[in-house]
């Protein structure tokens, strides 16, 4: 549905997008991640035809965006950063305008508008000027216009920006529902959103693609993936730590806390494989008084920092 091949975008001496290749199929929701300035929005603007590429190709539904931009734009919905709209219009008049631009007339136009109004819960503000709406409602108006023609491809830049927790939950469910027969790219800084909505995560840094996999695969790169957290009696801490460290499967043991009558350990797996059973068996064998033991899956934010921060410890931010 979406295919990028050796995509490059230069602004003078700056390589904002540096030879990115990727493909997105029907039914995929791809989380597009990267530090501020990494090239995410630039890439999305090239896919949608709002910016020309310096070199490389982009195809949407089989059409080259450089050669057939209108054919591409017929088949995609785009929610840009900030969701720009005409402030003096109402959501009703704005969506009517967008529907006409998309070629809808009469009853078909009205049906399209009513459908997206219901999906985005805009009915209560339909006749209020857009400039007076909250940031969350403005975002939902932008989402409605992107969805209005039921496109097979959706490109969304920070779709839940400005929404309250309930609204975010609603929009995430909506994306999941729509994704079954669409290809969706979602740019976001909210890493929990990637795990909640996306079937795949692509990370770019310095204009380059640096990671591509399922959220579970990326989390698996965390240093604490399959680590074991143990809560036990503080008096047993100094005996438990060396006993656990002696296990072949264990790569290290960190004392996280020792206060208020409780102690906490993190046991790191040597090779990322599950070690909870082995650690639990040892604790029972030694007779330690455990109050809690559980496996940590890892942290996506840690992996994100790991692959987007340079060797000097500074955030990569050139794209």
């Amino acid at each position: 549905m979406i295919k990028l091949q050796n995509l490059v975008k230069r602004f003078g001496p700056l390589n904002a997008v540096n030879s990115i290749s990727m493909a997105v199929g029907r039914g995929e929701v791809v989380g597009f991640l990267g530090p501020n300035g990494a090239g995410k929005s630039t890439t999305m603007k090239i896919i949608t035809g709002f910016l020309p590429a310096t070199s490389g190709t982009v195809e949407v539904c089989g059409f080259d965006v450089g050669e057939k931009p209108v054919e591409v734009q017929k088949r995609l919905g785009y929610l840009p950063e900030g969701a720009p709209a005409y402030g003096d219009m109402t959501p009703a008049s704005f969506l009517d305008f967008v529907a006409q631009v998309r070629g809808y007339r009469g009853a078909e136009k009205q049906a399209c508008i009513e459908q997206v109004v219901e999906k985005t819960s805009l009915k209560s503000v339909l006749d209020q000027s857009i400039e007076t709406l909250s940031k969350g409602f403005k975002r939902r108006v932008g989402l409605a216009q992107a969805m209005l023609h039921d496109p097979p491809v959706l490109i969304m830049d920070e779709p839940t920006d400005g929404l309250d927790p309930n609204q975010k939950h609603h929009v995430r469910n909506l994306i999941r529902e729509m994704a079954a027969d669409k290809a969706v790219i979602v740019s976001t800084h909210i890493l929990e959103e990637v795990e909640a909505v996306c079937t795949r995560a692509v990370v770019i840094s310095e204009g380059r693609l640096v990671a591509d996999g399922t959220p579970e695969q990326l989390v698996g790169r965390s240093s604490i993936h399959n680590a074991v957290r143990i809560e036990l009696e503080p008096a047993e801490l100094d005996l438990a730590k060396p006993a656990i460290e002696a296990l072949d499967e264990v790569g290290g043991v960190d004392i996280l806390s020792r206060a208020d009558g409780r102690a906490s350990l993190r046991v790191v797996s040597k090779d990322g494989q599950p070690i909870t059973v082995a650690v639990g068996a040892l604790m029972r064998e030694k007779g330690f008084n455990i109050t809690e033991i559980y496996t940590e899956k890892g942290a996506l934010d840690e992996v994100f920092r790991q692959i987007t921060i340079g060797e000097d410890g500074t955030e990569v931010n050139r794209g």
Side-chain angles (χ1 to χ4, degrees), residues 69 128 133 146 154 164 184 226 231 252 258 265 282:
Q128 188 176 329
L133 298 179
L154 274 171
D164 65 34
V184 182
N226 279 332
E231 305 284 339
R258 190 200 311 236
L265 290 172
L282 173 72

Side-chain angles (χ1 to χ4, degrees), residues 105-126:
R105 299 291 185 272
E108 186 182 26
K109 178 186 71 174
Q110 193 58 36
C112 289
I113 293 171
E114 289 175 358
Q115 185 177 55
V116 293
V117 165
E118 181 180 353
K119 286 182 176 179
T120 55
S121 301
L122 283 173
K123 189 172 182 180
S124 64
V125 297
L126 271 183

Side-chain angles (χ1 to χ4, degrees), residues 89-110:
M89 280 185 167
T90 64
S93 60
F94 178 63
L95 293 176
D96 185 87
F97 166 69
V98 172
Q100 290 188 60
V101 170
R102 290 288 184 184
Y104 292 103
R105 299 291 185 272
E108 186 182 26
K109 178 186 71 174
Q110 193 58 36

Side-chain angles (χ1 to χ4, degrees), residues 160-171:
T160 61
D161 183 38
L163 304 187
D164 65 34
N166 290 333
Q167 293 167 343
K168 285 180 181 178
H169 179 74
H170 174 75
V171 169

Side-chain angles (χ1 to χ4, degrees), residues 240-287:
K241 185 174 183 291
I244 298 170
E245 287 173 333
L247 286 172
D248 290 338
E249 301 93 332
V250 170
V253 180
D254 298 319
I255 298 175
L256 301 180
S257 65
R258 190 200 311 236
D260 301 325
R262 300 187 70 187
S264 178
L265 290 172
R266 173 180 283 140
V267 184
V268 179
S269 171
K270 183 179 290 184
D271 55 8
Q273 296 302 308
I275 57 172
T276 306
V277 172
V279 173
L282 173 72
M283 300 301 278
R284 288 192 300 272
E285 178 188 328
K286 298 293 185 182

